[in-house]
Amino acid sequence: MSNLEQPIFAKEIISGLRARPKQLSSKWFYDERGDELFREIMAMPEYYLTDCEREIFQKCAPELHALLEGQPFDLIELGAGDGSKTQHLIEHFIAARAEFAYRPIDISAHAIDILGDLITRRWPLLPFLPVQGDYFAALDRIGSGRSGRRRLVLFPGANVGNFSPEDAAVFLQRVGKFMRPGDLLLTGFDLKKSPAKVLAAYNDQTGHTAAFNLNLLARINRELGADFDLKNWQHWETYDPISGAARSFIVAQGRQTVKIADLEETIEFEPFEAIGVEISQKYSRSEIKQLAEDSGFHFVKNFEDEKEWFLDSLWR
Ligand code: AVI
């Protein structure tokens, strides 16, 4: 985390733990350990999302390239992570001799370093121009340069699902302000499906998701000198098939008093009080079209995997 982000982290953690109900943003999951745990989740058989989107990217690359009409472009990726699926697009674009630069944006400096090593080793001639930080600060920085080029903006991996549907519309409207005629936005959506499938993806028996969520408390211990005793907290997952919201909670096993030494704060938790830590929103096809409209985009088409569990939706 950069020195600039540390006070924001501290401020958001305190206000989230003082709120009723208590709520922390899932964006704080991703420190170095969190990135590692998330890579383990993506490799789990229960977490079907990764394979579905990999299949989609392999299939849709030629069509995306055709839609860019042979013009030079910037491939901008919001929340790039390890970029493993995007490499299928890059591979195709390079084979098709497209003139483009890869501009991943990620809040995690560590994730960008790993990605940078990987990309520059595999494609030393590909312009790799990452931006570390908050999406909009990064988009502002990108927006002020290289003004003539078209953009293919990727928002993959169901990251949009980590917003409520209302916040997703606000977020996508902001992305839209950065885009110009001819630019394209490709967003990954996890589709509504069997509730058992969804629950298994976020409540695996091997405990990877529990470890990922509890790492947030461990991070608060490490970075803010708190004394959460992790064995007194339990990961809990719910899925509401009407709203499509999968939600993660961390639940206190009995009364807890937690001191956050660096901030001189003490937080009390009642027995079984829960901290909301993540929403992973699932969508229907009609909800996705509606979201495109509500965010000021024109829907172009959906690319789906064979099982019809996931789709990437292309908008102008
Ligand atoms: C990053 N994001 C799209 C993941 C998701 O599916 O909501 C994060 C995650 N949380 C638990 N498992 C995966």
Side-chain angles (χ1 to χ4, degrees):
M1 178 152 56
S2 71
N3 290 343
L4 287 176
E5 271 157 10
Q6 187 69 33
I8 304 172
F9 175 65
K11 198 169 141 231
E12 285 198 18
I13 296 301
I14 282 304
S15 66
L17 291 179
R18 280 195 195 134
R20 278 165 194 269
K22 293 179 168 56
Q23 185 77 41
L24 297 175
S25 168
S26 59
K27 74 179 177 203
W28 300 118
F29 283 163
Y30 302 92
D31 65 348
E32 197 170 331
R33 177 74 184 131
D35 290 342
E36 192 178 303
L37 289 165
F38 185 51
R39 280 195 294 277
E40 288 176 15
I41 288 179
M42 287 194 294
M44 299 189 315
E46 296 89 334
Y47 195 73
Y48 55 84
L49 294 80
T50 316
D51 284 344
C52 292
E53 198 173 45
R54 179 169 298 114
E55 178 192 323
I56 293 169
F57 277 14
Q58 278 164 347
K59 277 193 306 206
C60 75
E63 206 170 327
L64 285 179
H65 186 214
L67 283 161
L68 290 159
E69 298 165 333
Q71 294 184 28
F73 64 94
D74 283 340
L75 176 65
I76 296 171
E77 182 167 14
L78 303 174
D82 71 355
S84 65
K85 290 163 288 177
T86 307
Q87 288 183 49
H88 295 291
L89 293 182
I90 295 178
E91 201 169 16
H92 176 87
F93 295 155
I94 287 186
R97 300 192 181 285
E99 190 189 330
F100 71 106
Y102 180 37
R103 311 219 61 188
I105 298 174
D106 206 288
I107 188 141
S108 161
H110 180 68
I112 287 201
D113 286 347
I114 294 179
L115 182 59
D117 278 351
L118 216 140
I119 295 290
T120 47
R121 228 179 307 123
R122 191 162 173 201
W123 296 292
L125 298 180
L126 173 67
F128 177 73
L129 307 168
V131 189
Q132 190 255 323
D134 167 78
Y135 292 151
F136 293 107
L139 284 176
D140 277 348
R141 269 153 72 191
I142 291 176
S144 52
R146 303 168 72 89
S147 57
R149 292 163 72 100
R150 288 177 80 170
R151 281 103 178 231
L152 169 57
V153 181
L154 305 179
F155 191 33
N159 288 328
V160 72
N162 296 137
F163 294 112
S164 69
E166 301 71 36
D167 289 349
V170 173
F171 175 86
L172 292 164
Q173 272 164 20
R174 284 187 73 185
V175 174
K177 293 216 172 78
F178 157 85
M179 296 181 69
R180 298 177 299 233
D183 292 352
L184 295 167
L185 173 67
L186 186 72
T187 307
F189 291 91
D190 195 15
L191 289 168
K192 285 180 173 169
K193 62 180 65 60
S194 152
K197 267 268 155 237
V198 175
L199 266 184
Y202 293 91
N203 197 21
D204 57 289
Q205 296 305 301
T206 44
H208 285 90
T209 311
F212 176 62
N213 288 0
L214 290 171
N215 177 58
L216 178 53
L217 302 188
R219 178 178 186 181
I220 299 171
N221 286 349
R222 282 192 294 272
E223 293 185 25
L224 301 175
D227 63 356
F228 279 101
D229 184 348
L230 264 57
K231 69 177 179 314
N232 296 338
W233 295 86
Q234 193 190 13
H235 161 63
W236 189 256
E237 190 71 28
T238 64
Y239 176 60
D240 172 359
I242 293 182
S243 69
R247 290 184 188 277
S248 292
F249 303 91
I250 302 177
V251 184
Q253 304 299 291
R255 187 174 295 285
Q256 308 286 322
T257 301
V258 174
K259 290 202 172 60
I260 307 182
D262 297 6
L263 307 178
E264 296 176 2
E265 284 276 347
T266 300
I267 310 279
E268 300 288 346
F269 295 86
E270 292 190 49
F272 300 101
E273 189 171 351
I275 312 172
V277 289
E278 188 172 59
I279 177 173
S280 298
Q281 181 68 39
K282 312 304 167 195
Y283 284 88
S284 68
R285 291 167 185 78
S286 57
E287 287 164 343
I288 292 167
K289 280 196 177 157
Q290 188 61 52
L291 183 60
E293 202 174 293
D294 293 347
S295 344
F297 281 90
H298 296 288
F299 171 83
V300 179
K301 72 172 287 180
N302 287 334
F303 300 96
E304 297 197 18
D305 69 296
E306 288 279 303
K307 295 196 190 88
E308 304 183 352
W309 284 353
F310 194 95
L311 65 76
D312 281 273
S313 196
L314 185 68
W315 304 349
R316 272 190 201 283

